[in-house]
Amino acid sequence: MSETIFLLKTETSPRLERLLEAALEGLPVAEATSQGLVQGALRGKRVLFALATDEYGMGPETFRLLRLLRSAPDALEGSVGGILADGAGELYTKQAAQALALAANMAGCLFPGKPLVEGTGSLYNQRISAARLGCGLEEAYFTRSRELAQRLAQFRAPRFPRPKLLMLHASDNRRSNTVAMGNALCQSLAPFCDINTICLQNGAIYDCRGCSYTACLHYSKSGACYYGGALPTEVFPAILDCDAMLLLCPNFNDAVSANITALINRMTSLLLRSTLYDKYLYSIIVSGYSGGDLLARQVLGAFCLNKTMMLPPHFCMFQTANDPGSAMSSPGIEARLSAWSEQILTTLLPASHA
C-alpha cells in the first residue's frame, strides 16, 4: 500500500519540475510548506524534499529550510524522507543533500537506504545507471527518481525482537573517548540486544586500490577481495549479520580516521553481492574542538546515501572532548546516553517491547 507523499520543494528548475511530474505520476501526493513543517504538520509523514542548486550552490529557500529544521528538533518525528537534488552545474548537489539529510534527521526524520537521487548539470553522474538500464542519461535520472518515490511511499521500517548490534571502531580502548561512550551505550542496550564489537585496528586494513569493476565483481562472488585483510574475512560478515551498526568516529582533522575511510572505500565488493537496506546506522562522533557535523555528513553520505544503510531518527550523538576520560565526565553525559539508548530501542524493538 502506498502512503501519501508530502512534497516539500525549495528552489526549482524546469528539469526538476519535469522530473517530479514523472517521478510522482500515479502516486498520492500532497504539497507541503516550510510553515507546515514548523507547525508539526509533517510529523509521521512521508516527505520528499526537492531542491535545485545553481552553479553557486544552494539558494536562499534551501538555506531557510535548513535553519528551520535545525531550530525545530521534533518537527519530523516519525517521518520518512527522500531527497531529489537537481543541479545546474557539476558541484554542490551532494553538499546540499548531505546538509539537508543531517538537519532533517536531527529533527526526527528516518531515511531509507539510498534516499537520494541527484543530477548534475551534465547528468554525467547518471552514466553507470544509464548503462545498466540500457537508456539515456535523462531517462536513467527520471527512472531512478521514480523508483525512489515508490520506495518512499511503500517503506516499512523493520523491527527486531532482539536486535543484533555491531559496534565498529578503530581506536585505542584505553584512551578513547568514543570507545568509552560506545561501551557505556552498549551496557545500556545489552539487556535488549546481542552486541558484537570489532576494532578495525585488529588485523590488516588495506585501503581500496581501485580494481576494475570486473575484478571486484569476481572476488566479491566468493565473499573475498583482492587486497584481503580483516575486512572481507571478519568485518563484512559481521556487517551482513547485524541489524544495526554503531560506528565510533573520533574527529581526525575534520574527517573520519584512515581505517574507517578504508572500510568505506572497500565496501563496494560487499555491495556487489548484498545490499544493506535492512540495516540501521548509528554513530558516536567525538571532536576535540569542533566540526562534528562535518563527520556526520561524511558518515551519512557514505553509509546511507551511498552504501544503502538506513538512517534512523537522531542517528548520531555528538560530544566535544579532548583529554582521555573527559567525555564520560562531562556534565549530563549519562542522561544524554540514557535518552539516546531509549531512542534507539524505540526504533529497533517491536512496539510491544519498546
Side-chain angles (χ1 to χ4, degrees):
M1 177 180 175
S2 295
E3 300 284 345
T4 298
I5 291 177
F6 286 77
L7 176 62
L8 183 52
K9 187 167 50 175
T10 56
E11 278 78 20
T12 189
S13 67
R15 188 170 71 182
L16 179 59
E17 292 298 327
R18 291 190 293 108
L19 178 73
L20 289 170
E21 182 179 359
L24 298 172
E25 182 181 2
L27 294 173
V29 179
E31 294 289 334
T33 65
S34 297
Q35 186 61 34
L37 182 149
V38 173
Q39 295 171 348
L42 296 181
R43 291 180 188 144
K45 301 296 193 294
R46 310 300 171 101
V47 184
L48 182 62
F49 299 95
L51 61 96
T53 59
D54 61 20
E55 57 269 35
Y56 309 112
M58 291 180 280
E61 287 303 311
T62 305
F63 278 112
R64 180 170 178 268
L65 175 60
L66 290 176
R67 290 185 65 85
L68 286 174
L69 287 167
R70 291 167 181 169
S71 64
D74 61 351
L76 292 172
E77 286 296 339
S79 299
V80 180
I83 302 173
L84 295 177
D86 188 65
E90 302 304 292
L91 304 178
Y92 308 123
T93 49
K94 278 188 176 173
Q95 177 199 50
Q98 288 181 3
L100 179 55
L102 179 59
N105 179 261
M106 293 175 70
C109 186
L110 180 153
F111 286 94
K114 222 167 178 65
L116 166 67
V117 177
E118 42 111 17
T120 60
S122 68
L123 291 183
Y124 185 82
N125 68 315
Q126 301 297 322
R127 184 176 59 88
I128 294 176
S129 294
R132 188 176 68 249
L133 295 170
C135 62
L137 297 179
E138 184 169 277
E139 185 178 352
Y141 184 29
F142 281 38
T143 298
R144 293 184 60 225
S145 299
R146 173 71 176 173
E147 291 172 348
L148 173 60
Q150 290 174 334
R151 282 199 296 119
L152 178 61
Q154 298 169 6
F155 177 80
R156 296 291 181 274
R159 304 288 186 114
F160 313 96
R162 187 167 179 85
K164 290 185 272 188
L165 177 71
L166 171 64
M167 186 171 81
L168 276 181
H169 69 92
S171 301
D172 182 342
N173 286 359
R174 298 165 299 174
R175 295 172 52 83
S176 171
N177 280 302
T178 51
V179 172
M181 290 179 64
N183 286 338
L185 178 70
C186 287
Q187 186 175 1
S188 179
L189 296 174
F192 309 96
C193 304
D194 293 328
I195 298 173
N196 180 20
T197 299
I198 294 179
C199 177
L200 296 176
Q201 287 187 347
N202 298 336
I205 305 294
Y206 303 107
D207 202 351
C208 178
R209 308 294 177 86
C211 284
S212 67
Y213 175 82
T214 52
C216 191
L217 180 62
H218 169 75
Y219 283 97
S220 70
K221 287 179 178 178
S222 59
C225 172
Y226 178 80
Y227 297 99
L231 290 180
T233 60
E234 182 181 2
V235 180
F236 291 168
I239 291 175
L240 291 177
D241 185 57
C242 77
D243 301 313
M245 185 172 79
L246 173 63
L247 192 67
L248 308 186
C249 297
N251 187 338
F252 284 76
N253 298 302
D254 294 331
V256 299
S257 67
N259 279 355
I260 292 176
T261 299
L263 167 67
I264 294 168
N265 293 340
R266 292 273 298 278
M267 282 180 70
T268 298
S269 65
L270 173 63
L271 293 173
L272 285 173
R273 60 190 171 95
S274 179
T275 63
L276 305 175
Y277 285 106
D278 60 342
K279 304 182 188 306
Y280 290 99
L281 169 69
Y282 291 96
S283 185
I284 293 175
I285 294 175
V286 177
S287 298
Y289 303 100
S290 63
D293 57 307
L294 300 179
L295 270 70
R297 293 188 198 182
Q298 183 182 6
V299 170
L300 72 85
F303 288 96
C304 175
L305 304 188
N306 191 320
K307 307 299 186 187
T308 76
M309 299 186 85
M310 288 179 289
L311 202 69
H314 312 286
F315 94 101
C316 190
M317 183 170 176
F318 298 97
Q319 182 63 39
T320 302
N322 198 327
D323 297 332
S326 59
M328 290 305 300
S329 62
S330 63
I333 187 66
E334 293 183 0
R336 291 178 60 220
L337 282 167
S338 178
W340 197 42
S341 171
E342 291 180 10
Q343 171 75 50
I344 291 171
L345 293 174
T346 298
T347 299
L348 297 182
L349 295 177
S352 59
H353 293 74

